Every structure is written in C-alpha cells, then in structure tokens.
C-alpha cells in the first residue's frame, strides 16, 4: 500500500466545460486570462480556433512546440499583442527587439550570463539574501505575518540591482521596486483595445497615468547611465566589471546605440526580478502546505550548509530545493504564455502522420500554463510533487513539455541566473525560518504580466 500522504493541490481555475461567449472572453481576458481555458486546452495536443477575430492555434504537443520554437523558429515572430503591450515600454530592449537588432544585442549580452560569471553572482546573491533574511529575525518563535509576494519582489530586486548594476541604480532604494511594479501594472496591462488589435494611436484608457511613471523611469535610467559614465571617466580603476559597464562599453557602430542601452537597462530590471519573485512566493506557499517537502528541503539545506560548500555549488548540491522551485514554476509559470505569429504559411506532420496546417498570420499560443497542467503529459497535473524534477525522474520528461523559460533562440537569457538565485534565496530563508499558512492565506492565481497571487500572499514567518 502506498503510505505517502496525498500531495497538495494548490488553487487554480477549473477548466471550463462550456465555451465562453464573445463578451465573456473579453471580460475574462481583462480580469484573468487563466480563467479562460476550457477542457480541450488541457486535454488536446493542439486546437485550431478563432479568438475574437483572430485565427489562433493553441499548441500543447511537445514535438510541435519544438518545431515552432526551434526547428522553424525563423518563421514565427513576436505576437501582435506583445508588440502592442510591451514594445511601447521596452522598445528595442532584448525582450521586444526583433531582427538584426535582437541578434546583435543577444550576442553582445550573452557573455554576462555564461558560467564564468556564476561564481561572482552567487556570492552577491548570498549576501543580499542573508541581509534580507535578517528582517525576519524579529519574528522569533511567535512569528509574524508578512506579504511574501511583495517581500520576494524586494529581495529579487535587491539581488538584480547588486549583480547587474553593483547596487548603482540611480533611485532611492525603497521606492524603486514598488515603482517597477507600478510601471508594469499600469503599462503592462491588456487593454480592450489590445484584444481588438486596434492600432497603437487608439488611446488605451487603462494605461492613462502610465506615461508619468514611464518618464520617471527614463530619468532613473539616464541618471544611472550618466553616473557610471562619469565614474568611467574620472575614476576608471573603481569601475565595477558588471552588466552596466558591459552595456556601456558596447556603444558604437557594431554594438548598441544609446537608446538601445537605455532600453536594455529597463528590460533587465523589468524581466529580471518579478518573474523570479513570483515563483519564490509560490514555492514558499506550496511548501507551507506540504510538510514532507519542507522536511526534505530542510534536511538538504542543513547538510549542504554544514559541509561548507561554496554558494556557486548549491544549485547542483541541492537537487530537492531546486526541484521544489521547478515544480512551483510548473504549476505557476511566471510567464504563462509564449505567443508567436506565423510569418509565412507552414505545416507540420506528427510522428503519427497527422497534419497541422499553419496559415500565414495565424496566432500561435504556446502556453506553459495549460502545457504544464496537461493530462496527456503529466501524472496528477494539479498536484505539487517536486519529485518529478529530481535527477532520476527527469529523463521521463520530454524537453518540450516543460517550458517555464521558453525554448529556442529566444529562450530566457536569465534562466540559469534565476535558478541559482532561487536555490540560494530558498536555502538562506529556510535555514533559519519557516513559513506557514495563516487564516488569511487564500491565494488565487491571476495573469498580469506574470502569474501572481491576487491581493498578495500572506504567510507567517517564524524561527525554525
Ligand atoms: C523564474 C524566473 C524567470 C522566468 C520564468 C522567465 C521566463 C522567460 C521566458 C518564458 C522568456 C521567453 C519569452 C518568449 O520566448 O517569448 C524569457 C525571456 C527573457 N528573459 Fe526571462 N525569465 C526569468 C528570469 C529572468 C532573469 C533573472 C532575467 C535577467 C537577469 C531574465 C531576462 C530575460 C530576457 C532579457 C528575455 C528576452 C530574451 C530574448 O528574447 O532574447 N529573465 N524569460
């Protein structure tokens, strides 16, 4: 008899059994796109459908995903919605750049995220996590309730700012992480006009007020650049060899333009911390509901820390902590949907000989949200079971059934950075503290730019 406890099933919308009306589609997209998807999205390998006026191919089949994101990636461009929502904010930053600009920028920035830099990053991640964890010392054994969602946003922002900018983002520390959130919330919202694919000159009412926040950001970015430039001029020996210096050194005919440098600073601040923060908060929430997972993580953390291993090794030495984080990324992928549009007509034939026609211009939705909860590919898809990601079980997974970081040429440039950061932060936080449910803990996942708990996520922190 299997004596293991029933795994925890964290909250998520129940797949719809009746297709929504047109009006309901619009309402749901505005309220919470995660609530839109019906049974077929969680049970069929692909669906050719119409979504408002746009023909759309929803793709779950891992082989077809590989075809679109890797094998014929050149035929699939950024979706119109991403162009409409993110491009006005992040412009030619790496996430929203296309064509030659993207190619040149990706190549130029890739060296920062290679293993060569991992050791330095790990030391900074450790230091920032330890500093942050001090704030929880006050909780003692009695405990205190914190909003773990906003706390993790603060922590990951501190880490990002230290690792990529040596702590020299020209903004008052406390207000800045909050205003990044504000920017993304104001500007990064789907507006009814976006769903209708209205041209960009049609005003987006939901984004009014966002312009002011944007202007403040551009000020912060130019001050950051100016600060570093004068340091490079006046005291070159004191200049840190970080991402910011690298970007500034890239300015020139074959590198990046002035504007592209500014766009990338904003992009990396935007893409580089909220995603990891969300996943950390969901991990701690799931772990608070899974005592045997917590026990296994604590045992692993205690053993590795007692061995005196360097923080750069922790990601490899803590497979269970990593698995818990990866399982939270499966259940609550911070980027719940990866959208593309077909440039030219295309088709694909499955290994069983089924043909999928992909007409020119069709919108292709690859959704980690449905893929990660798909009945064809996962056992107990709604349950929190970190064991799936332990090294010995991992080979049973198809490389393209799990896509928290995307895949192909546009795969997340910060994936290893994020995993390393998460393992270090979890180890430091869980070494001395435990996180438990409170009577108010009742999160509901909503899709904004990231998958986040509506209204925050209260947990009780106390000394272990
Ligand atoms: C758990 C944390 C993270 C998740 C789940 C995540 C997810 C993703 C996904 C799914 C994409 C691909 C989007 C697409 O193909 O359309 C992406 C791209 C990107 N990510 Fe991440 N990300 C995370 C952390 C980070 C970090 C830490 C950084 C920077 C330090 C970062 C920077 C970027 C950038 C710049 C791109 C655009 C890459 C390109 O288009 O060439 N991300 N991310």
């Amino acid at each position: 008899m299997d004596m293991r406890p029933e795994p925890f099933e964290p909250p998520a919308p129940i797949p719809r059994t009746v297709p929504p009306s047109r009006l309901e589609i619009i309402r749901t997209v505005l309220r919470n796109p995660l609530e839109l998807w019906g049974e077929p999205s969680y049970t069929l390998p692909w669906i050719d459908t119409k979504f408002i006026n746009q023909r759309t191919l929803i793709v779950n089949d891992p082989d077809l995903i590989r075809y679109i994101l890797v094998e014929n990636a050149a035929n699939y461009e950024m979706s119109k919605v991403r162009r409409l929502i993110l491009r006005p904010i992040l412009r030619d930053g790496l996430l929203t750049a296309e064509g030659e600009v993207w190619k040149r920028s990706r190549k130029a920035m890739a060296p920062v995220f290679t293993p060569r830099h991992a050791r330095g990053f790990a030391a900074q991640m450790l230091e920032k996590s330890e500093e942050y964890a001090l704030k929880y010392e006050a909780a003692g054994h009695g405990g205190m309730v914190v909003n773990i969602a906003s706390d993790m946003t603060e922590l990951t922002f501190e880490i990002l700012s230290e690792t990529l900018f040596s702590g020299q983002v020209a903004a008052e520390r406390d207000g800045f992480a909050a205003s990044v959130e504000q920017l993304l919330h104001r500007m990064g919202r789907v507006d009814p006009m976006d769903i209708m694919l209205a041209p960009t000159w049609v005003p987006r009412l939901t984004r009014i007020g966002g312009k002011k926040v944007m202007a403040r950001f551009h000020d912060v970015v130019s001050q950051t650049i100016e600060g570093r430039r004068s340091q490079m001029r006046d005291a070159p020996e004191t200049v840190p060899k970080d991402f910011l210096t690298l970007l500034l050194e890239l300015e020139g005919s074959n590198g990046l333009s002035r504007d592209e440098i500014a766009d990338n600073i904003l992009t990396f601040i935007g893409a580089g911390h909220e995603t990891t923060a969300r996943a950390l908060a969901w991990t701690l929430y799931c772990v608070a509901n899974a005592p045997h997972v917590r026990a296994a993580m604590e045992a692993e953390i205690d053993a590795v820390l007692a061995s005196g291993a360097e923080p750069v090794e922790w990601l490899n030495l803590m497979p269970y902590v990593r698995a818990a984080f990866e399982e939270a990324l499966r259940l609550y992928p911070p980027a719940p949907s990866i959208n593309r549009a077909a440039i030219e007509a295309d088709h694909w034939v499955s290994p069983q000989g089924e043909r999928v026609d992909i007409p020119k211009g069709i919108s292709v939705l690859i959704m980690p949200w449905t893929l990660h909860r798909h009945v064809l590919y996962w056992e107990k898809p709604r349950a929190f079971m970190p064991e799936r990601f332990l090294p010995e079980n991992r080979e049973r997974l198809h490389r393209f059934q799990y896509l928290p970081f995307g895949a192909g040429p546009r795969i997340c440039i910060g994936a290893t950075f994020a995993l390393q950061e998460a393992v270090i932060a979890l180890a430091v936080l869980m070494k001395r503290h435990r996180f438990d449910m409170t009577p108010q803990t009742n999160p509901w996942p909503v899709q904004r730019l990231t998958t986040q708990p509506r209204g925050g996520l209260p947990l009780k922190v106390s000394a272990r």
Side-chain angles (χ1 to χ4, degrees), residues 32-206:
N32 183 11
L34 301 179
E35 292 173 22
L36 194 62
W37 312 114
E39 285 280 349
S41 304
Y42 297 89
T43 52
L44 298 178
W46 57 81
I47 307 167
D48 192 337
T49 178
K50 225 173 176 176
F51 191 66
I52 317 286
N53 290 325
Q54 171 68 49
R55 187 158 166 201
T56 301
L57 183 66
I58 298 177
V59 179
N60 285 310
D61 183 287
D63 288 323
L64 179 49
I65 292 178
R66 171 170 40 213
Y67 179 74
I68 289 165
L69 291 182
V70 182
E71 289 160 8
N72 201 19
N75 190 47
Y76 297 90
E77 60 184 359
M78 201 193 314
S79 69
K80 290 202 189 94
V81 172
R82 174 135 132 209
R83 282 219 187 102
L84 284 168
I85 299 178
L86 282 181
R87 180 120 180 127
I89 313 180
L90 302 175
R91 304 189 297 197
D92 271 330
L94 195 59
L95 188 65
T96 40
E98 287 196 280
E100 281 309 308
V101 176
W102 171 78
K103 220 184 240 169
R104 186 160 41 77
S105 320
R106 175 100 191 188
K107 195 166 158 213
M109 284 179 243
V112 177
F113 297 95
T114 52
R116 196 157 58 88
H117 289 262
R119 182 172 297 271
F121 285 158
Q124 291 166 320
M125 289 164 178
L126 177 66
E127 187 192 318
K128 287 291 147 190
S129 302
E130 281 178 338
E131 245 176 69
Y132 198 84
L134 284 180
K135 148 175 169 174
Y136 293 152
E137 292 294 324
H141 287 282
M144 67 180 179
V145 176
V146 298
N147 177 355
I148 205 70
S150 52
D151 277 12
M152 291 304 100
T153 306
E154 272 174 34
L155 169 59
T156 54
F157 178 71
E158 293 275 312
I159 290 177
L160 183 88
S161 152
E162 187 65 25
T163 47
L164 298 193
F165 302 97
S166 305
Q168 295 175 349
V169 177
E172 62 288 10
R173 280 161 76 89
D174 290 339
F176 196 65
S179 41
V180 175
E181 269 200 272
Q182 206 188 344
L183 173 78
L184 294 174
H185 288 199
R186 277 231 185 252
M187 299 295 285
R189 258 174 76 172
V190 180
D191 188 278
M193 290 302 146
D194 300 326
I195 308 178
M196 314 292 197
L197 298 176
T200 42
W201 49 262
V202 178
R204 272 36 179 190
L205 293 177
T206 54

Side-chain angles (χ1 to χ4, degrees), residues 69 78 82 93-97 102 106 109 113 160 163-164 264 267-269 271-277 279 325 329 333-340 368 403-407 409-415 417-419 421-422:
L69 291 182
M78 201 193 314
R82 174 135 132 209
L94 195 59
L95 188 65
T96 40
W102 171 78
R106 175 100 191 188
M109 284 179 243
F113 297 95
L160 183 88
T163 47
L164 298 193
N264 275 303
T267 294
F268 277 80
I269 292 173
H273 82 291
E274 221 201 51
T275 39
T276 317
F325 182 71
L329 282 177
S337 136
I338 298 170
N339 306 349
R340 297 286 192 268
L403 294 179
F405 297 108
R410 299 208 72 148
I411 193 171
C412 177
I413 199 170
F417 180 101
L419 289 172
E421 169 182 14

